[in-house]
Amino acid sequence: MLTLINLRSRAEQPCASTPRLRSRHSGVALALLGLASLSGSACGKKDAEEGAAAAGTTGGEGPLAVAPAPASAATGNAATAAANPWGSPEADKGQPLPPRKALAGGAQSDYNDGRRAAQSGDLAGARSKFEAVVAADPNAYLALHALGVISDREGRESQAIDYYRKALRVQPDYEESARGIVSINVRQGQSDRALQFMQPLAQQWERNLLLQAYYADLLTQLNRPADAITAARAALRRDERFVPAMLSLVRANIRAGKLELADSILEQALGVDEKNAQLHYLKGKRLADDAKLSEAITEFKRAVELDPDFAEARMELGLRLLAGANYDEALQQLQVVDKLTPKVVEVQLALGDAYRSKGQWVEAKTAFDKALRMRSDLPQAHFNLALLYMTSGAAYPGPDVLTSLGKAKEEFAAYRTQMGSRLPRDDASAAYLDDIEKSIAREQKRIEREKKAAERGARTDAGGTQ
């Protein structure tokens, strides 16, 4: 799962001029679109495919499991040991995992109602149901976790962490709440804090294979691919078909530059679980890296089909559709991402560009302004606002073209100031500013011609009435 990989805060390097005005988005790395999953997860060998499906979700926009399953290591045997390409099984090594208790009494019904409400977008209704579950059963760690997910979706990160910690006090190895805490820490730029939290937890509960996969993902995010590979391989020694660990191994090898090996493992994982949304997402990313954009879009669509709440896949799909001038569908995808991840700056940049491309100037300005409220030093937002004013003409903000062009100049100036020494010599804003100056000159001449024509017309009319 990719929620442990941060979105870049650096400005994207400007691109060469193209027929369509090019906006700026920070490079969308693989996460922090994500919050934490509402799913229970399975790590046992007999539940490997179910566990893979649970792990193939993206944070708070992940699917909701019908019931929790124990996160346990696989049980190895001699035949498995001989066939396992990752090493010898270590199923009996490590501290036994704490049992996972079912919901008490009628709490299960309220929990299911809360899941349905969350899936329909009714966060207030979902919160009410999950609070009722906790009131009936204070040890309902799934409901505590779900309240953390809802808080995270609502932008209440401190409250979310409190709920995740409460869930972990009840179920000390609950990997989804651990992932939720790590995701928030990384999103806030506290990667060291994320590692300090996750590392001892993964070491304590080494039989929890999904927890090991999440730990490996964090190590990859921290640019420690060799350590991530070690962690993922340890999980695979217990269960060679455990897809979340295979995913972690793919990501780590990509980060290490071992692309052929990563692609090979990715295909192996798809052979185990073709319906894993994360696998299709990663395959889409690899295809996009190879400039196979049509095939990449197909994979991103498959990922979204398998997991409609997969924010990263929708984000990638939206960006690719936007680049291909499929503005309507791109906007639809990005609007969903915005609902799932309301506090991610890069989503607002992409959403604003989609609105701009459709000529919805007010909505575009709203998205860019929201991005700037999230992060004041955001040159990409000023660049995109400049494009908005360049393309809106007299339509926005009004009352005439010169006003819009003037505001475009102001935004490009703000962009260049914030970029500072990072601004390349051939930055596209220089060419755009040159175009703006020429457009202003043309518009001023047009206005002057119309003014003179009107004056001549007035003199003619006056002469005709004498």
Side-chain angles (χ1 to χ4, degrees):
M1 75 100 68
L2 302 181
T3 51
L4 304 184
I5 304 177
N6 196 6
L7 290 167
R8 305 300 184 197
S9 58
R10 63 175 172 76
E12 182 186 13
Q13 290 301 315
C15 355
S17 180
T18 64
R20 189 173 78 87
L21 295 181
R22 296 297 299 273
S23 62
R24 291 284 185 273
H25 316 115
S26 281
V28 179
L30 302 180
L32 297 203
L33 293 179
L35 312 176
S37 174
L38 292 183
S39 65
S41 40
C43 296
K45 189 174 186 66
K46 67 185 179 66
D47 293 319
E49 292 188 3
E50 295 174 25
T57 66
T58 310
E61 59 282 4
L64 311 183
V66 173
S72 60
T75 301
N77 55 44
T80 302
N84 192 337
W86 315 109
S88 301
E90 301 175 354
D92 297 327
K93 179 186 175 186
Q95 180 177 344
L97 299 179
R100 299 199 169 181
K101 299 178 181 178
L103 292 169
Q108 183 67 57
S109 177
D110 281 336
Y111 179 74
N112 291 340
D113 288 343
R115 288 176 52 247
R116 284 189 287 269
Q119 287 173 328
S120 68
D122 179 11
L123 296 186
R127 179 182 289 276
S128 176
K129 289 296 181 181
F130 292 135
E131 287 174 345
V133 173
V134 174
D137 180 4
N139 291 324
Y141 69 94
L142 286 178
L144 289 167
H145 172 78
L147 287 167
V149 173
I150 290 172
S151 298
D152 204 354
R153 286 190 182 182
E154 293 173 340
R156 303 175 185 179
E157 293 175 330
S158 295
Q159 185 182 82
I161 288 177
D162 287 342
Y163 277 121
Y164 294 147
R165 290 194 180 279
K166 288 178 181 178
L168 284 166
R169 283 196 288 271
V170 176
Q171 186 62 47
D173 71 323
Y174 189 47
E175 61 287 329
E176 300 301 338
S177 287
R179 179 179 67 163
I181 291 172
V182 167
S183 290
I184 292 174
N185 285 332
V186 175
R187 189 187 311 146
Q188 293 176 341
Q190 302 290 333
S191 297
D192 290 342
R193 181 182 297 175
L195 183 62
Q196 290 168 6
F197 165 77
M198 190 61 148
Q199 187 172 42
L201 197 67
Q203 291 172 347
Q204 180 181 5
W205 305 113
E206 61 181 292
R207 292 195 187 191
N208 185 325
L209 302 192
L210 194 51
L211 193 61
Q212 303 310 309
Y214 293 170
Y215 174 50
D217 287 337
L218 176 59
L219 291 170
T220 297
Q221 162 61 16
L222 299 179
N223 200 26
R224 292 171 54 180
D227 292 334
I229 289 170
T230 298
R233 286 174 64 92
L236 287 165
R237 283 197 296 272
R238 295 178 183 267
D239 182 353
E240 66 185 81
R241 291 171 61 83
F242 188 63
V243 172
M246 297 176 80
L247 276 161
S248 299
L249 198 57
V250 170
R251 298 183 195 111
N253 278 293
I254 290 174
R255 178 59 66 92
K258 301 176 181 179
L259 302 183
E260 289 187 7
L261 178 57
D263 289 342
S264 175
I265 299 169
L266 182 57
E267 292 304 320
Q268 290 179 48
L270 280 165
V272 175
D273 184 8
E274 191 281 332
K275 293 185 178 180
N276 187 295
Q278 282 281 357
L279 293 175
H280 289 282
Y281 169 77
L282 270 185
K283 186 171 183 179
K285 292 283 287 181
R286 292 290 301 122
L287 289 166
D289 290 343
D290 291 339
K292 299 177 181 178
L293 299 184
S294 177
E295 296 172 58
I297 286 175
T298 298
E299 292 297 327
F300 292 137
K301 286 184 175 180
R302 177 62 172 153
V304 171
E305 175 190 350
L306 291 167
D307 181 0
D309 290 341
F310 192 169
E312 287 103 322
R314 283 192 183 273
M315 181 72 167
E316 286 289 345
L317 178 57
L319 291 175
R320 306 297 170 182
L321 293 169
L322 194 60
N326 189 342
Y327 304 135
D328 289 335
E329 190 174 349
L331 180 58
Q332 291 172 9
Q333 298 296 336
L334 295 169
Q335 285 172 329
V336 175
V337 178
D338 182 39
K339 290 180 180 178
L340 294 170
T341 56
K343 293 194 67 176
V344 178
V345 166
E346 287 75 9
V347 174
Q348 299 306 315
L349 292 176
L351 184 62
D353 191 39
Y355 279 127
R356 179 190 65 79
S357 298
K358 285 179 59 62
Q360 296 179 228
W361 316 118
V362 175
E363 292 84 352
K365 177 69 160 49
T366 298
F368 295 141
D369 285 347
K370 184 176 179 180
L372 285 167
R373 287 195 299 272
M374 293 178 181
R375 191 187 307 160
S376 58
D377 183 11
L378 190 64
Q380 305 99 307
H382 291 292
F383 190 100
N384 290 2
L385 278 168
L387 295 186
L388 185 158
Y389 293 126
M390 279 184 66
T391 54
S392 64
Y396 189 82
D400 52 44
V401 172
L402 285 178
T403 299
S404 296
L405 292 173
K407 293 195 68 71
K409 283 182 62 175
E410 292 174 8
E411 294 297 338
F412 273 131
Y415 162 75
R416 294 174 69 86
T417 297
Q418 289 193 358
M419 285 292 287
S421 61
R422 296 173 294 169
L423 192 71
R425 290 183 179 179
D426 60 348
D427 185 86
S429 62
Y432 286 142
L433 281 168
D434 185 55
D435 288 342
I436 288 172
E437 293 293 351
K438 292 176 181 177
S439 296
I440 289 174
R442 286 194 298 269
E443 182 65 11
Q444 288 174 335
K445 290 180 180 178
R446 185 191 66 78
I447 292 172
E448 185 63 25
R449 287 195 301 271
E450 290 184 353
K451 180 181 178 182
K452 290 180 178 179
E455 290 174 349
R456 287 195 299 270
R459 286 196 298 270
T460 301
D461 290 344
T465 58
Q466 290 177 353

